[in-house]
């Protein structure tokens, strides 16, 4: 099997898992609120990453706390809005709208940060 075919299959597998997550989120939106869902989701993620974080022997740079807090807050609000919106729309629509970041991020980088697209 060629490397190109392997790469395409891995990307397909990741896309299927990513897209399937919206179905689970949609079902969860009917039963629990967005705060509980996202709190549980992020707690699980933190617990999975905790052993790796504790293994690192680097010190926390206090100068990076404010930007990290800002980005984390933006992620929190985005996750909340996405989960709250799933109560009122289909998983397909939510996946499509969320996937638009693939298109918009490079455009925003070019417009606001003067980064070249290619």
């Amino acid at each position: 099997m060629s490397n190109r075919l392997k790469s395409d299959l891995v990307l397909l597998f990741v896309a299927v898992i990513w897209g399937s997550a919206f179905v689970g989120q949609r079902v969860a939106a009917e039963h629990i609120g967005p705060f509980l869902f996202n709190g549980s989701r992020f707690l699980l993620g933190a617990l999975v990453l905790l052993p790796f974080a504790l293994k690192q022997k680097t010190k926390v740079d206090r100068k990076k706390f404010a930007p990290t807090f800002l980005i984390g807050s933006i992620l929190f609000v985005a996750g909340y809005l996405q989960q709250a919106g799933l109560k009122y729309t289909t998983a397909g629509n939510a996946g499509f709208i969320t996937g638009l970041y693939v298109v918009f991020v490079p455009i925003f980088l070019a417009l606001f940060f003067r980064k070249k697209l290619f």
Side-chain angles (χ1 to χ4, degrees):
M1 185 181 301
S2 71
N3 284 340
R4 171 74 185 228
L5 181 58
K6 286 180 189 176
S7 300
D8 288 343
L9 289 174
V10 168
L11 283 173
L12 177 64
F13 178 68
V14 169
V16 167
I17 290 175
W18 181 80
S20 300
F22 283 99
V23 176
Q25 285 181 257
R26 174 82 168 106
V27 171
E30 295 174 3
H31 300 289
I32 62 175
F35 285 118
L36 179 60
F37 179 83
N38 282 327
S40 303
R41 180 175 148 186
F42 281 96
L43 179 63
L44 178 63
L47 291 174
V48 168
L49 291 175
L50 186 62
F52 299 103
L54 293 175
K55 191 174 182 179
Q56 295 289 323
K57 299 294 182 187
T58 58
K59 291 186 178 183
V60 176
D61 185 3
R62 293 191 183 267
K63 293 177 186 174
K64 294 181 181 176
F65 181 76
T68 302
F69 183 79
L70 175 66
I71 292 169
S73 298
I74 292 169
L75 179 64
F76 170 78
V77 169
Y80 171 80
L81 291 173
Q82 178 181 350
Q83 189 62 28
L86 272 165
K87 190 172 186 175
Y88 305 105
T89 190
T90 65
N93 283 344
F96 173 75
I97 292 169
T98 302
L100 286 175
Y101 78 87
V102 174
V103 176
F104 286 125
V105 165
I107 293 171
F108 288 155
L109 285 173
L111 290 175
F112 299 116
F113 297 101
R114 308 245 189 252
K115 300 281 184 179
K116 291 186 178 184
L117 292 179
F118 300 101

